[in-house]
Amino acid sequence: MTAKPRGRPRNAQTDTAILEAARDLMAADGYERMTIEAIAARAGVGKQTVYRRWPSKAAIVAEAVMAGHLGIRADAPPRTGDAAADLRTWLGQFFGQLGQPATVAVIRGLAAAATDGGTEAEQLYERFTGPGREQMLDLLRLGVEHGQFRASLDIEAAADAISGTLLYRALIPPSAVVDTDAAGFLDLLLLGMTPRTSPGGTRPERR
Amino acid sequence: MTAKPRGRPRNAQTDTAILEAARDLMAADGYERMTIEAIAARAGVGKQTVYRRWPSKAAIVAEAVMAGHLGIRADAPPRTGDAAADLRTWLGQFFGQLGQPATVAVIRGLAAAATDGGTEAEQLYERFTGPGREQMLDLLRLGVEHGQFRASLDIEAAADAISGTLLYRALIPPSAVVDTDAAGFLDLLLLGMTPRTSPGGTRPERR
Amino acid sequence: MTAKPRGRPRNAQTDTAILEAARDLMAADGYERMTIEAIAARAGVGKQTVYRRWPSKAAIVAEAVMAGHLGIRADAPPRTGDAAADLRTWLGQFFGQLGQPATVAVIRGLAAAATDGGTEAEQLYERFTGPGREQMLDLLRLGVEHGQFRASLDIEAAADAISGTLLYRALIPPSAVVDTDAAGFLDLLLLGMTPRTSPGGTRPERR
Amino acid sequence: MTAKPRGRPRNAQTDTAILEAARDLMAADGYERMTIEAIAARAGVGKQTVYRRWPSKAAIVAEAVMAGHLGIRADAPPRTGDAAADLRTWLGQFFGQLGQPATVAVIRGLAAAATDGGTEAEQLYERFTGPGREQMLDLLRLGVEHGQFRASLDIEAAADAISGTLLYRALIPPSAVVDTDAAGFLDLLLLGMTPRTSPGGTRPERR
DNA sequence: CTTTAAACGAGACGGTACGTCCTGTCTTATT
DNA sequence: AATAAGACAGGACGTACCGTCTCGTTTAAAG
């Protein structure tokens, strides 16, 4: 049990203001070019107030993502009973967002934050992938149980492959993006079934 | 045909010295913490000499990787005729190197460099993934022809999934790494076959 | 009335530390060779702290002189009632200091600073010559009233001639200095009387 | 006797081009801001060619002045037999030029060059003031002999006072300049006679 | 109410690195 | 051998942020 706080309590709206400032600047400048000084200024807040709440830029970004201030929405996946379909729907959310520059900026930022090294990388990994990963593993496990995915599936490895592909797609330059849709990707990964190709079927040339 | 060069020619050894300095500092400090000033100092070179040759830290790192000064070796894959086996062997090289801190540092650096934005990201993508990707696509195509991989395989998507997973494994903190071996991963991705699990078969606990 | 200051107030001792560092380096290296970086380092201060207070090297030097940190002492002249004698005594202070390397360094620095152009030159002129000039004009005026100097004396022109000679003596190389004493110079300028020559009377050869 | 020169002879026009480039840049940017690199570029010449001929910026400027490329004209003074009048005429040349910005820039540059310290200051002093000084001393000596100046005049000190005043007038900011004419100044210095004031006679207010 | 204690905006502070500019020297190929 | 061009090690420039540290002020709860 925490001791009753004394002195002036922290202003809860300040958190929001900072996270929103971070979100805007991230979209505008990218993670690297965004500075804590600029975040504070845009939030109309002293620098110390930022440092009092988060230890680093990476931590701010991680929180902004988790709090939903940044583009990637981690809504709970649907649970219709059809695990494969649910997974497709859910991943579709993410793959669909890869078209939006803001989302790409965020994922790039997270990757950059992860490379900052030190404990933040671990934190970020935990906070960012943690909850989503659990959902993913659940659905994969369910799919195996229901016989939708093959029994030998290494669900942890599968989860990593999904996350990794998502990350990779965000990092590569837009001109090189291959427009495979999420469902096709999932089939590729998990089923050995014919992936449903995008309408028209023909793959565009790489630049 | 290039114009005839005038004035004192650039010293080719200087390039090497700078790239090697970058390699060492990258391994020691990581991409973010490595400074151009330190690279110049370690190479025994003026800062301007660095800037004369590369426009940014990202560009230096990209070149260092391509020139083979940085840990990831992109040797040509073996061509035994068995495409699936060749691919396994070749990817094994990369996955095996994920255990070495220097290699991880490099991949993290490349990711960070890619997030630096601008044209360098594209350059980096082209130069880094380009050659390797061609090899990968070749082997995948061959495997499909020989019936080792299913006919419906989207080889571009498969290549992205492989690259992405490799990247993801390098970025996540060591404590969270799942020790699936390369062969198992490949089976997962391409075959729908039972992956060969590591001896003992039990998955270690996550931290 | 000035606006109420906000934020952390500037440390007044820091001003002193910087000015003293400038004084020392000026004496040691001369104005040209003295760098702002070295001033900051010697004062144990960040470079920005220097730039926050003064816009240029010239401005620092000007302030250092006015604050008395640099060698030229502009003590108020004596007021014995004998204006000519007072002037001689007072100017003697300055001419006497021309033998000290530190003083010469300062005057040279002021001249160099003046040539930096811009508004600082004006500032420097005002602040450096201003107060002393008033004293000089006062004494000259008094001397004319008392009949010690001829009635037709253009006191402003006389003041310029005095300042200019002082400056010139500081700028020329030591080997070329003529050792006329202050009193003799003054007589030359103002009285048409026989200057009191230095003991021995013979002028040394120029180099 | 010098050995017969071998190899390609120096181009004499190059000297001129460099000195003229220096003259132009001096007028445009001032001594401090003028760089040797810019001089070479403007003269259409390699940097080394400049360094082969002069050891320093100060030396270039000194030569530019002596060669008449820079504003101050040191024509020989007239010799009418009336030493005082000749001196007035001659000094009038200099004082008159103080109105031209280019001339002021040059004198300021010379002062700055003198403060560069080292041997260049001495060189510069010798080359710049040397020839003119001889002329000045000659006329002063002549004036004393003819009884135009008082017999007790210390001619070396008088020459310094004249040079110093000229220098001082060039260094002080234009707004502070007192418009005493040369003749009046000279009378002040040498004669104890009523100086001829400018028409109207009233001194303008200082800024 | 008054005291106490923390939060807050502001901005100074010692540092570090940035990317640019210039110095004076050194190679090139050319004249 | 001199030249135009330009690379080179070095070093200072003035700027931007870092993360920390005062300031004076504000806001609650405790006395």
Side-chain angles (χ1 to χ4, degrees):
Chain A
M1 46 160 253
T2 38
K4 188 190 297 177
R6 307 224 313 156
R8 178 175 175 177
R10 290 191 185 172
N11 183 347
Q13 298 179 35
T14 298
D15 277 71
T16 310
I18 292 171
L19 293 175
E20 289 182 346
R23 178 239 296 152
D24 296 350
L25 291 170
M26 186 93 155
D29 302 339
Y31 176 82
E32 304 291 352
R33 261 172 285 284
M34 171 179 68
T35 70
I36 291 192
E37 218 149 49
I39 294 173
R42 179 174 247 269
V45 141
K47 248 200 303 184
Q48 193 66 238
T49 300
V50 177
Y51 280 109
R52 202 176 288 122
R53 292 157 196 244
W54 293 280
S56 68
K57 200 165 70 165
I60 299 173
V61 170
E63 173 112 18
V65 171
M66 294 314 297
H69 293 286
L70 274 172
I72 310 169
R73 304 309 317 256
D75 294 334
R79 298 290 187 141
T80 63
D82 180 348
D86 288 352
L87 195 52
R88 264 191 212 100
T89 309
W90 193 56
L91 290 178
Q93 270 187 47
F94 297 113
F95 276 81
Q97 290 180 74
L98 287 181
Q100 301 166 230
T103 304
V104 172
V106 170
I107 300 185
R108 290 188 176 208
L110 286 167
T115 67
D116 265 7
T119 35
E120 287 132 26
E122 304 226 4
Q123 259 186 0
L124 192 52
Y125 174 80
E126 286 298 329
R127 304 185 67 175
F128 177 46
T129 68
R133 188 182 180 88
E134 287 312 313
Q135 312 271 23
M136 223 189 290
L137 293 177
D138 262 9
L139 286 173
L140 287 168
R141 212 173 289 122
L142 212 64
V144 170
E145 278 167 25
H146 292 7
Q148 294 184 290
F149 305 139
R150 55 196 156 78
S152 63
L153 186 68
D154 181 335
I155 58 174
E156 299 248 18
D160 282 357
I162 293 171
S163 299
T165 306
L166 197 56
L167 173 64
Y168 185 73
R169 295 272 175 109
L171 286 186
I172 62 180
S175 56
V177 168
V178 171
D179 69 343
T180 315
D181 63 331
F185 165 74
L186 197 60
D187 292 338
L188 156 75
L189 216 64
L190 304 171
L191 300 176
M193 292 163 38
T194 307
R196 297 174 212 149
T197 47
S198 11
T202 34
R203 165 168 306 285
E205 277 307 292
R206 305 204 139 228
R207 69 180 189 101
Chain B
M1 42 159 256
T2 38
K4 186 195 300 179
R6 308 226 296 166
R8 177 176 175 177
R10 293 190 183 172
N11 184 346
Q13 299 180 34
T14 299
D15 277 72
T16 310
I18 292 171
L19 293 176
E20 289 182 346
R23 177 240 294 152
D24 295 350
L25 291 170
M26 186 94 154
D29 303 339
Y31 177 83
E32 305 291 351
R33 259 171 287 285
M34 170 180 68
T35 70
I36 291 191
E37 221 149 49
I39 293 174
R42 178 174 248 269
V45 140
K47 241 198 305 184
Q48 195 78 87
T49 299
V50 177
Y51 281 109
R52 202 178 288 124
R53 291 155 194 248
W54 295 281
S56 66
K57 204 165 66 165
I60 299 173
V61 171
E63 174 112 16
V65 171
M66 292 316 297
H69 292 286
L70 274 172
I72 310 169
R73 305 308 319 253
D75 295 332
R79 299 288 188 144
T80 63
D82 179 349
D86 288 352
L87 196 52
R88 265 192 209 98
T89 309
W90 193 55
L91 290 179
Q93 269 187 49
F94 297 114
F95 276 81
Q97 289 180 74
L98 288 181
Q100 302 166 230
T103 305
V104 173
V106 170
I107 300 185
R108 290 188 177 207
L110 286 167
T115 67
D116 264 9
T119 33
E120 288 126 28
E122 302 227 4
Q123 253 187 2
L124 192 52
Y125 174 79
E126 286 297 329
R127 305 185 65 177
F128 177 47
T129 68
R133 188 182 181 89
E134 287 312 313
Q135 312 272 24
M136 223 189 290
L137 293 176
D138 263 8
L139 286 175
L140 286 168
R141 212 172 289 123
L142 212 65
V144 169
E145 280 167 24
H146 291 8
Q148 295 184 290
F149 304 138
R150 55 196 155 78
S152 62
L153 187 66
D154 181 335
I155 58 173
E156 299 248 17
D160 282 358
I162 292 170
S163 300
T165 306
L166 198 56
L167 174 63
Y168 185 72
R169 294 272 175 110
L171 287 187
I172 62 178
S175 55
V177 168
V178 171
D179 70 341
T180 313
D181 62 330
F185 165 75
L186 196 62
D187 294 337
L188 156 73
L189 215 64
L190 304 171
L191 301 176
M193 291 163 38
T194 307
R196 299 177 210 147
T197 48
S198 10
T202 34
R203 165 169 307 286
E205 276 307 291
R206 308 204 137 224
R207 71 174 187 105
Chain C
M1 44 161 258
T2 40
K4 186 196 299 180
R6 310 225 294 167
R8 178 176 175 177
R10 293 190 184 172
N11 184 346
Q13 297 180 36
T14 299
D15 277 72
T16 310
I18 293 171
L19 294 175
E20 288 182 347
R23 179 241 294 152
D24 295 349
L25 292 169
M26 185 95 155
D29 303 339
Y31 176 82
E32 305 291 350
R33 259 171 287 284
M34 169 179 70
T35 71
I36 292 191
E37 221 149 47
I39 293 174
R42 178 174 250 267
V45 141
K47 241 199 306 186
Q48 196 79 94
T49 299
V50 177
Y51 281 110
R52 202 177 286 124
R53 292 156 193 245
W54 295 280
S56 68
K57 205 165 67 165
I60 299 173
V61 170
E63 174 112 17
V65 171
M66 291 317 297
H69 293 287
L70 275 173
I72 310 169
R73 304 309 317 251
D75 295 333
R79 299 289 187 142
T80 62
D82 180 347
D86 288 353
L87 196 51
R88 265 191 211 101
T89 309
W90 193 54
L91 290 179
Q93 270 187 47
F94 296 114
F95 277 82
Q97 289 180 74
L98 287 181
Q100 302 166 230
T103 305
V104 173
V106 170
I107 299 185
R108 289 187 176 208
L110 286 167
T115 67
D116 264 9
T119 33
E120 288 127 28
E122 302 227 4
Q123 256 186 2
L124 191 51
Y125 173 78
E126 285 297 328
R127 304 184 68 177
F128 177 46
T129 68
R133 189 182 180 86
E134 287 312 313
Q135 312 272 23
M136 223 187 290
L137 293 176
D138 262 9
L139 286 174
L140 286 168
R141 211 173 288 124
L142 211 65
V144 170
E145 279 168 24
H146 291 9
Q148 295 184 289
F149 305 139
R150 56 195 154 80
S152 63
L153 187 66
D154 181 336
I155 58 175
E156 301 247 17
D160 282 358
I162 293 171
S163 300
T165 305
L166 198 54
L167 173 64
Y168 185 73
R169 294 271 176 109
L171 287 188
I172 62 179
S175 55
V177 168
V178 171
D179 70 341
T180 314
D181 63 330
F185 165 73
L186 197 62
D187 293 338
L188 156 73
L189 217 63
L190 304 171
L191 299 177
M193 290 164 41
T194 308
R196 299 175 211 148
T197 48
S198 9
T202 33
R203 166 168 307 286
E205 276 307 291
R206 307 205 137 226
R207 68 177 190 105
Chain D
M1 42 156 255
T2 39
K4 188 196 297 179
R6 307 221 311 154
R8 177 172 173 180
R10 288 192 185 174
N11 183 345
Q13 298 179 35
T14 299
D15 278 70
T16 311
I18 293 171
L19 293 175
E20 288 182 346
R23 177 239 296 151
D24 295 351
L25 291 170
M26 185 94 155
D29 302 339
Y31 176 83
E32 305 290 352
R33 261 171 286 283
M34 172 179 67
T35 70
I36 291 192
E37 216 150 49
I39 293 173
R42 178 174 248 268
V45 141
K47 247 198 306 182
Q48 193 64 237
T49 301
V50 176
Y51 280 109
R52 202 177 289 122
R53 292 157 195 244
W54 293 279
S56 67
K57 201 165 69 164
I60 299 173
V61 171
E63 172 113 17
V65 171
M66 293 316 297
H69 292 285
L70 275 173
I72 309 169
R73 305 309 316 255
D75 296 333
R79 298 289 186 142
T80 63
D82 180 348
D86 288 352
L87 196 51
R88 264 191 211 101
T89 308
W90 193 55
L91 291 180
Q93 268 187 47
F94 297 113
F95 275 82
Q97 289 180 73
L98 287 181
Q100 302 165 231
T103 305
V104 173
V106 170
I107 300 185
R108 290 188 175 208
L110 285 167
T115 67
D116 265 8
T119 35
E120 287 131 26
E122 303 226 5
Q123 261 185 359
L124 192 52
Y125 173 79
E126 284 299 329
R127 304 186 66 175
F128 177 46
T129 68
R133 188 182 180 88
E134 286 313 314
Q135 312 272 23
M136 222 188 289
L137 292 176
D138 264 8
L139 286 174
L140 286 168
R141 211 173 288 122
L142 212 65
V144 170
E145 280 167 23
H146 292 10
Q148 295 185 289
F149 305 139
R150 53 194 156 79
S152 62
L153 187 67
D154 180 336
I155 59 174
E156 300 247 18
D160 282 359
I162 292 170
S163 300
T165 306
L166 198 56
L167 174 64
Y168 185 72
R169 294 272 176 110
L171 287 187
I172 62 179
S175 56
V177 168
V178 171
D179 70 342
T180 314
D181 62 331
F185 166 72
L186 198 61
D187 292 339
L188 157 72
L189 217 63
L190 305 171
L191 300 176
M193 291 165 38
T194 308
R196 297 175 213 148
T197 49
S198 8
T202 34
R203 165 169 307 286
E205 277 304 293
R206 307 205 138 223
R207 70 176 190 105

